[in-house]
């Protein structure tokens, strides 16, 4: 006799939701002309007090430095970021948002809101609040275990 595995079912539901989120996010980013990974890098830059080094971005994004180089190359080609010398160490290059990058961040906020509305449309206000509370509980545990990374 097979016993239902509630954690296995929940894990499958979360994976399906993640894939759906990724599809919807990509659809909303197409008009802006950037990828989800580029979007994430731009949002990370927006939360940094000073322009970070590439290694800082790689650590924050939890990717290898080469991946950040590829993302920065593409964003720089689109005039959304620029490489700037560190004022105290000429061997260090930092990544800074351009005015076009800041404008794109505004467009990203709108795209994220639209994508969230697509995902959350079946839920009423109370269900959205419950989901938010549950997600916060999961993130609070993760942040406590891993520590919150800042630039």
């Amino acid at each position: 006799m097979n016993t239902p595995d509630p954690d296995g079912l929940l894990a499958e539901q979360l994976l399906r939701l993640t894939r759906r989120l990724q599809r919807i996010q990509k659809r909303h980013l197409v008009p802006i002309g950037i990828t989800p990974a580029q979007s994430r890098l731009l949002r990370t830059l927006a939360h940094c007090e000073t322009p970070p080094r590439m290694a800082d971005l790689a650590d924050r994004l939890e990717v290898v430095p080469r991946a950040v180089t590829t993302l920065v190359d593409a964003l720089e080609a689109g005039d959304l970021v620029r490489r700037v010398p560190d004022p105290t160490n000429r061997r260090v290059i930092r990544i800074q948002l351009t005015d076009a990058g800041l404008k794109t961040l505004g467009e990203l906020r709108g795209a994220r809101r639209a994508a969230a509305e697509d995902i959350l449309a079946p839920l009423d206000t109370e269900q959205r609040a419950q989901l938010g509370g549950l997600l916060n509980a999961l993130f609070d545990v993760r942040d406590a275990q891993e520590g919150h990374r800042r630039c």
Side-chain angles (χ1 to χ4, degrees):
M1 173 184 233
N2 287 340
T3 319
D5 177 9
D7 288 341
L9 175 61
L10 185 58
E12 180 60 31
Q13 289 171 316
L14 289 171
L15 290 172
R16 287 178 52 210
L17 179 60
T18 299
R19 287 191 297 269
R20 184 166 181 243
L21 286 167
Q22 289 170 341
R23 281 192 312 274
I24 289 171
Q25 181 185 24
K26 283 180 186 177
R27 187 175 73 234
H28 284 278
L29 291 177
V30 166
I32 299 171
I34 63 173
T35 67
Q38 292 168 343
S39 167
R40 189 167 171 236
L41 190 141
L42 287 175
R43 290 190 326 270
T44 300
L45 280 173
H47 290 97
C48 294
E49 293 176 15
T50 60
R53 299 173 308 136
M54 298 268 240
D56 298 331
L57 286 170
D59 182 53
R60 176 81 168 131
L61 296 170
E62 298 177 339
V63 299
V64 297
R66 178 68 189 126
V68 171
T69 301
T70 301
L71 291 171
V72 168
D73 287 347
L75 291 169
E76 190 174 40
D79 193 35
L80 301 178
V81 301
R82 69 176 147 256
R83 289 171 165 92
V84 295
D86 183 285
T88 61
N89 183 344
R90 65 185 180 146
R91 293 176 294 157
V92 174
I93 299 297
R94 296 189 174 269
I95 308 305
Q96 184 177 59
L97 284 167
T98 63
D99 289 341
L102 289 169
K103 180 178 180 270
T104 299
L105 276 171
E107 294 172 16
L108 287 173
R109 285 183 194 101
R112 287 173 61 101
R113 279 192 297 277
E117 187 52 43
D118 282 357
I119 289 289
L120 299 173
L123 304 179
D124 64 30
T125 304
E126 184 179 325
Q127 290 170 320
R128 289 178 186 206
Q130 288 174 328
L131 178 60
L134 293 169
L135 292 173
N136 281 337
L138 293 173
F139 291 130
D140 289 345
V141 168
R142 182 179 150 218
D143 288 347
Q145 291 170 345
E146 296 177 0
H148 188 67
R149 292 187 199 118
R150 294 286 302 166
C151 290

